[in-house]
C-alpha cells in the first residue's frame, strides 16, 4: 500500500474512534434553558390572548342569559296587557251602538251611560299606558341582547381560532418539555427557587392575604389557562391570590395592568403586581426585597424569582 493510502486509512480509523458528539457537541443545560425561554416568550402572549377572549366570552354569555331572564317576564306582561285591551275593545264592539242606545233607554239616565263609557275609556287608557311602559323596557333589553349576541358570535369565532392554535401550542409545549427532560431528566420539574422567606416582608390587610396565598402555591405546576387551585398560569396565579383577599382581577395579564393603581418601583410593596415585556404578557406577585412569586412556564412550578431576571415594565397595586 502506498504512503498516501496508509495515511488515508489511519485517518479513517482515527475518525471512527472519535465520539459522534465531537463534531456536534450536545447543548448544555444552560443552552437548552435559554432556548426554552426564547420559545416561551413567543408562546405566552398567545396564551394570554386566549385567556382574555375566553373569559370575555364566558362573561358575555352570562350577561346574555341574565338579559333573557329579564325579557321573558316583560314579554309575558305585555302579552297579558294586550289581551286585556283586546277584551275591553271586543266587549264594546260586540255590544255596539244599538246596545248603547238600549242601555240608555233602560237606565233612563244619560249620566249613568256616560259614566260607563268614561270608565271604559279610562280602563283602556290605563292598560295602554301599562303595556307601553312594559314594551319599552322589553324592547330596551332585547336591543341590548341583540348587540351582545352579535359580540358573542364574534368572540366565539375568536375563541375557536385560538382553540385551534391551542393544539399547536400544546405541541410546542410538549417539545419544550422534551428538551427540558433531556437537560434535567424525567424525574425533575425544574425545582422551586428559594430566596429567603416568602413573603420577604410582612404586610397585613388584603395585600398580606394575597401575598400569603401566592406563597402557599409555591411548588404547584404551571398549566396554561389554569387559575387554581391545583395549577396556574401567570395571570391565573395573581387572580387567584387577590381573589382570596376579596379583590377581583381578570385572568389576563395586560388587563390586570389596567385594574390597579400606578406604583413606582421605589414605592413597590408586597402584594403589588409586577409586569414584564412591552406587551405585558407576564405578571408576578411582588413579595418584597426585589423578589416575586410567579408561575413561570411549563416545566417550572410556581416559584420565587428575582424580578430583574426579565424586563420589568412596571408595578400596579390592586384595590
Amino acid at each position: 500500500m502506498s504512503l498516501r493510502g496508509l495515511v488515508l486509512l489511519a485517518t479513517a480509523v482515527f475518525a471512527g474512534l472519535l465520539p459522534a458528539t465531537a463534531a456536534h457537541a450536545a447543548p448544555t443545560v444552560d443552552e437548552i434553558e435559554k432556548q426554552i425561554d426564547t420559545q416561551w416568550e413567543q408562546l405566552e402572549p398567545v396564551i394570554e390572548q386566549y385567556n382574555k377572549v375566553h373569559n370575555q366570552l364566558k362573561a358575555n354569555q352570562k350577561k346574555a342569559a341574565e338579559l333573557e331572564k329579564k325579557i321573558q317576564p316583560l314579554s309575558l306582561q305585555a302579552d297579558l296587557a294586550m289581551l286585556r285591551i283586546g277584551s275591553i275593545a271586543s266587549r264594546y264592539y260586540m255590544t255596539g251602538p244599538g246596545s248603547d242606545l238600549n242601555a240608555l233607554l233602560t237606565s233612563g239616565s244619560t249620566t249613568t251611560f256616560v259614566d260607563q263609557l268614561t270608565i271604559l275609556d279610562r280602563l283602556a287608557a290605563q292598560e295602554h299606558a301599562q303595556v307601553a311602559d312594559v314594551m319599552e323596557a322589553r324592547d330596551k333589553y332585547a336591543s341590548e341582547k341583540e348587540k351582545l349576541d352579535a359580540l358573542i358570535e364574534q368572540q366565539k369565532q375568536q375563541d375557536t381560532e385560538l382553540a385551534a392554535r391551542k393544539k399547536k401550542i400544546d405541541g410546542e409545549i410538549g417539545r419544550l418539555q422534551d428538551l427540558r427532560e433531556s437537560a434535567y431528566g424525567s424525574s425533575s420539574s425544574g425545582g422551586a427557587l428559594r430566596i429567603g422567606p416568602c413573603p420577604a416582608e410582612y404586610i397585613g390587610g388584603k395585600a398580606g392575604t394575597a401575598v400569603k396565598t401566592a406563597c402557599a402555591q409555591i411548588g404547584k405546576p404551571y398549566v396554561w389557562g389554569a387559575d387554581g387551585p391545583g395549577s396556574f398560569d401567570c395571570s391565573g396565579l395573581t387572580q387567584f391570590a387577590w381573589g382570596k383577599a376579596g379583590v377581583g382581577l381578570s385572568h389576563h395579564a395586560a388587563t390586570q395592568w389596567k385594574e390597579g393603581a400606578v406604583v413606582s418601583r421605589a414605592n413597590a410593596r408586597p402584594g403589588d403586581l409586577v409586569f414584564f415585556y412591552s406587551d405585558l404578557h407576564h405578571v408576578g406577585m411582588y413579595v418584597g426585597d426585589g423578589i416575586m412569586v410567579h408561575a413561570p412556564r411549563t416545566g417550572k412550578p410556581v416559584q420565587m424569582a428575582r424580578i430583574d431576571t426579565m424586563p420589568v415594565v412596571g408595578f400596579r397595586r390592586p384595590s
Side-chain angles (χ1 to χ4, degrees), residues 249 256-264 272-273 275 314-319:
L249 294 175
Q256 289 183 8
W257 170 266
K258 301 174 184 177
E259 293 174 336
V262 178
V263 180
S264 68
D272 291 343
L273 303 182
F275 295 83
F315 296 78
R316 290 292 185 271
R317 182 167 298 160
S319 57

Side-chain angles (χ1 to χ4, degrees), residues 212-227:
K212 289 177 182 178
T213 300
C215 290
Q217 312 314 310
I218 289 176
K220 291 185 178 181
Y222 178 100
V223 174
W224 79 271
D227 55 7

